[in-house]
């Protein structure tokens, strides 16, 4: 009988998650259901010594219980490369500490572990900038630090969405219309007076009626349902963290076309779990760090989307074993 897969998860403190909504917990539940051995770590528990990736790891048992969802065992030091797979599920901000963590995971990958998502992809695929690799899938978009160029884009598009490149959860997102006297201060704030890049996109009015839809892509293939996040009447942002309402729906033809355009690149670069944000049929972000939405869809449709990820991990590990 083969040994169970040994999986390390790197995440924010498990004690502080919202279990009813947490996608990482769904992943751990799916892995545990398969009899996998689960180990838990936070960023602070990882380090490099003489080129070797180490972790201070604690066995973790999980439950689908909103009051008591985990138990942790005694911590032990181990080489990360000796495990089958490592789930990198640390939430943004994508700062230098995050990047340093990906370097540690790079070494773990070279030393034998499958890293999900792949560290190089986490560094290379900025969630807003990476849309530029798929302009056929996107509404008009400008990434710049030049404020006159932003004004020109606003005059052309009439109404735009402005965002920092490093933001998450709907933070610091502005909708600006031509003639808005706040445009100057918004552009100044986002670019820090022309010293930082920001992104501006054509405003897509569908956000009001059909919301900002999250399509989960697992090893290049779409999950069976998407999560439409409908803004409140008092907000422009389709983010659950900003109070938007989540409504599951079946994929449409446009959704599948978008995944067909982007999915093969994600698969090629080892990005096994990615969220495409789509408004009005246009991709606005490609979320590679720690996409969510699984729990909401599973609750509505009775699916086990995290199980699809576990199957993808098993396939990857088998392919690595066959090559070895």
């Amino acid at each position: 009988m083969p040994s169970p897969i040994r999986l390390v998860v790197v995440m924010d403190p498990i004690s502080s998650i919202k279990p009813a909504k947490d996608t990482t917990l769904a992943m751990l539940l799916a892995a545990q259901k398969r009899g996998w051995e689960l180990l838990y770590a936070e960023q602070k528990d990882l380090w490099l010594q003489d080129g070797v990736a180490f972790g201070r790891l604690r066995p973790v048992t999980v439950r689908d219980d909103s009051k008591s969802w985990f138990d942790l065992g005694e911590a032990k030091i181990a080489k990360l490369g000796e495990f089958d797979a490592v789930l990198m599920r640390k939430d943004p901000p994508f700062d230098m500490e995050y990047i340093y963590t990906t370097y540690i995971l790079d070494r773990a990958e070279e030393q034998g572990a499958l890293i999900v998502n792949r560290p190089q992809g986490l560094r290379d695929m900025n969630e807003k900038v990476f849309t530029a690799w798929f302009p056929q899938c996107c509404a008009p978009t400008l990434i710049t630090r030049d404020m006159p160029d932003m004004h020109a884009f606003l005059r052309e598009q009439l109404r735009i969405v402005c965002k920092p490149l490093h933001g998450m959860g709907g933070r610091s997102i502005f909708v600006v219309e031509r003639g808005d006297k706040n445009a100057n201060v918004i552009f100044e704030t986002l670019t820090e007076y022309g010293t930082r890049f920001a992104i501006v996109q054509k405003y897509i009015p569908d956000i009001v009626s059909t919301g900002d839809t999250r399509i989960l892509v697992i090893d290049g293939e779409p999950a069976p349902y998407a999560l439409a996040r409908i803004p409140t009447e008092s907000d422009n942002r389709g983010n659950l963290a900003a109070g938007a309402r989540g409504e599951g729906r079946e994929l449409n033809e446009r959704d599948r076309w978008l995944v067909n355009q982007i999915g093969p690149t994600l698969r090629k670069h080892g990005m096994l779990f990615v969220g495409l944000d789509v408004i009005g049929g246009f991709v606005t972000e490609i979320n590679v760090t720690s996409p969510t939405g699984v729990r909401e869809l599973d609750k509505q449709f009775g699916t086990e989307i995290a199980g699809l990820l576990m199957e993808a991990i098993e396939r990857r590990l088998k392919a690595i074993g066959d090559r070895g």
Side-chain angles (χ1 to χ4, degrees):
M1 185 175 180
S3 300
I5 290 173
R6 303 174 73 207
L7 176 71
V8 176
V9 61
V10 180
M11 60 185 289
D12 291 302
I14 193 170
S15 60
S16 64
I17 67 172
K18 297 178 180 178
K21 297 184 176 182
D22 195 83
T23 290
T24 304
L25 179 60
M27 293 177 178
L28 294 177
L29 288 166
Q32 183 173 271
K33 183 178 179 180
R34 286 160 173 75
W36 295 10
E37 180 182 347
L38 304 181
L39 288 304
Y40 165 88
E42 299 170 24
Q43 270 184 306
K44 65 183 180 181
D45 298 315
L46 309 182
W47 71 93
L48 286 173
Q49 185 169 348
D50 300 326
V52 178
F54 285 93
R56 189 171 289 104
L57 310 177
R58 302 179 68 180
V60 60
T61 302
V62 289
R63 293 176 294 277
D64 194 3
D65 184 332
S66 61
K67 294 183 179 179
S68 175
W69 58 91
F70 73 99
D71 289 312
L72 293 176
E74 183 179 351
K76 294 184 179 180
I77 293 173
K79 296 177 181 178
L80 295 178
E82 295 180 351
F83 291 87
D84 295 297
V86 178
L87 274 179
M88 176 51 167
R89 290 289 300 176
K90 170 71 179 69
D91 284 342
F94 190 86
D95 53 15
M96 285 307 300
E97 291 302 307
Y98 193 105
I99 290 174
Y100 296 147
T101 303
T102 67
Y103 293 148
I104 297 172
L105 295 177
D106 264 336
R107 295 298 295 159
E109 181 181 45
E110 293 181 12
Q111 290 155 12
L114 173 70
I115 313 298
V116 182
N117 284 323
R118 195 175 182 201
Q120 183 176 352
L122 292 174
R123 290 193 298 272
D124 290 351
M125 298 179 185
N126 176 277
E127 303 193 329
K128 297 174 178 64
V129 178
F130 195 57
T131 59
W133 271 250
F134 308 97
Q136 74 276 19
C137 301
C138 305
T141 301
L142 174 69
I143 297 170
T144 185
R145 55 198 283 177
D146 187 273
M147 289 182 285
D149 285 349
M150 288 178 153
H151 279 288
F153 188 82
L154 174 57
R155 288 193 297 272
E156 179 182 355
Q157 302 298 335
L158 305 181
R159 195 178 190 191
I160 62 175
V161 177
C162 312
K163 299 183 281 189
L165 294 181
H166 60 279
M168 62 164 287
R171 296 176 186 170
S172 302
I173 294 178
F174 298 90
V175 176
V176 185
E177 298 185 14
R178 189 169 69 175
D180 190 332
K181 293 184 178 180
N182 289 310
N184 276 332
V185 70
I186 290 170
F187 297 159
E188 290 166 359
T189 300
L190 289 179
T191 68
E192 293 187 12
Y193 292 89
T195 64
R196 295 176 66 96
F197 284 97
I199 184 170
V200 290
Q201 297 166 317
K202 180 178 180 178
Y203 177 81
I204 306 168
D206 304 64
I207 182 69
V208 176
S209 57
T210 59
D212 183 344
T213 297
R214 167 66 54 82
I215 303 172
L216 295 171
V217 184
I218 301 164
D219 201 12
E221 298 294 332
Y225 300 96
L227 184 67
R229 298 162 299 175
I230 314 297
T232 64
E233 292 184 0
S234 60
D235 208 321
N236 288 304
R237 298 171 296 175
N239 302 82
L240 297 180
R245 182 181 77 257
E247 294 183 0
R249 64 166 177 78
E250 294 185 357
L251 299 184
N252 59 38
E253 184 177 345
R254 176 69 176 183
D255 297 333
R256 297 185 185 280
W257 182 84
L258 292 171
V259 175
N260 286 337
Q261 294 291 303
I262 300 171
T265 299
L266 300 175
R267 182 189 299 116
K268 176 183 176 182
H269 291 282
M271 312 308 284
L272 268 64
F273 192 79
V274 175
L276 304 184
D277 288 351
V278 179
I279 303 175
F282 296 102
V283 173
T284 60
E285 294 188 16
I286 301 175
N287 291 273
V288 300
T289 50
S290 187
T292 61
V294 164
R295 299 286 271 175
E296 292 85 352
L297 290 173
D298 284 350
K299 182 177 180 180
Q300 181 168 342
F301 297 106
T303 51
E304 190 188 318
I305 293 172
L308 300 177
L309 175 61
M310 300 309 124
E311 292 171 7
I313 290 173
E314 287 178 322
R315 290 194 300 269
R316 289 279 179 142
L317 291 174
K318 184 178 185 301
I320 293 170
D322 291 344
R323 289 198 300 269

